[in-house]
Amino acid sequence: MALTLTNAEIVLGLPIITDFIEKANDGSTTTVESLACKGLDEEELEGAYICFLNGANAGVDRIITDYTSSSTGTFTFDALTDAVDNTTMFAIVLKSFTPAALRAEAVMTNDLRNKGLDIDNFLTTSQLKELHLNRTLAHICFAKRQDADTNDTYHINYEEFMAMYTAEMNNLTANYDSNEDGSISTSEQNQELSQIGFSR
């Protein structure tokens, strides 16, 4: 089982980690126009991620295939389901957070194993989303922090996300396929999975 987090979902968890957050002035299913984004580096932005933070496209990523820096500041990407309008908030992520999400999944897999649980037996992966997000954000903040003290915003956020991750892990309730038959019985629905001690 592979857990997934989009860059947009990660940014929504802690907006300060992104490179730009702006509002669209106009757009379509394949473009965003933002006057605030005029004059940015075209070569740097092509291949970066545009991440949608509200409305019908919230949580969706697209790779920027073209960017025009003059006039309107227009980003082009593969089609969305719903068109962008002047209420759309978006973020630009120059380097994907996917490596952090993959590392977080590896740590989660190990932590669950230490509790006697197999991550592949969680058949409703959405129930692990908050756990995965907290660990991913902790990993990102750890990498970005400069000093391990209260003057460092990333250090403070690292500690907060680690605390939320640990609390979530200790109180985990989920659909867990205990007998590994590939389905969730009534007794396996929303199980309290904290019976086995958790240690880091």
Side-chain angles (χ1 to χ4, degrees):
M1 174 197 70
L3 302 178
T4 59
L5 283 173
T6 65
N7 287 290
E9 289 170 326
I10 295 169
V11 169
L12 281 166
L14 187 63
I16 64 168
I17 63 175
T18 194
D19 297 290
F20 305 98
I21 292 182
E22 297 295 347
K23 185 176 81 70
N25 295 105
D26 201 358
S28 67
T29 56
T30 58
T31 60
V32 164
E33 295 177 16
S34 177
L35 296 175
C37 292
K38 287 168 55 177
L40 300 176
D41 188 313
E42 293 183 3
E43 289 187 7
E44 185 176 38
L45 287 172
E46 290 176 11
Y49 290 83
I50 186 165
C51 307
F52 297 92
L53 306 180
N54 68 338
N57 296 311
V60 174
D61 292 347
R62 288 290 185 268
I63 295 175
I64 298 167
T65 55
D66 188 58
Y67 165 68
T68 304
S69 63
S70 61
S71 182
T72 56
T74 301
F75 302 93
T76 304
F77 41 81
D78 288 344
L80 297 164
T81 303
D82 296 277
V84 169
D85 62 24
N86 64 0
T87 66
T88 300
M89 297 293 297
F90 67 93
I92 302 297
V93 173
L94 299 177
K95 295 179 181 177
S96 175
F97 296 118
T98 298
L102 290 172
R103 177 62 186 146
E105 181 179 356
V107 171
M108 283 176 58
T109 299
N110 186 63
D111 287 345
L112 288 165
R113 186 184 305 115
N114 289 341
K115 288 172 65 71
L117 302 169
D118 185 337
I119 198 168
D120 291 326
N121 290 343
F122 290 88
L123 301 189
T124 310
T125 56
S126 61
Q127 293 175 329
L128 297 180
K129 195 134 200 160
E130 199 66 21
L131 191 67
H132 189 202
L133 179 61
N134 287 334
R135 192 61 188 83
T136 298
L137 287 168
H139 184 76
I140 292 167
C141 289
F142 184 83
K144 287 180 174 287
R145 70 180 184 169
Q146 300 296 313
D147 296 296
D149 60 39
T150 56
N151 294 318
D152 189 319
T153 299
Y154 286 110
H155 175 69
I156 293 168
N157 279 289
Y158 163 73
E159 290 190 325
E160 289 181 356
F161 283 114
M162 280 304 300
M164 287 189 286
Y165 171 76
T166 301
E168 182 81 8
M169 182 67 84
N170 284 336
N171 297 291
L172 186 60
T173 299
N175 295 345
Y176 185 75
D177 184 17
S178 303
N179 60 13
E180 301 183 31
D181 67 353
S183 63
I184 297 294
S185 66
T186 302
S187 64
E188 291 173 330
Q189 290 179 358
N190 296 317
Q191 294 179 81
E192 293 278 352
L193 300 173
S194 58
Q195 304 94 322
I196 302 171
F198 173 61
S199 60
R200 285 194 56 80

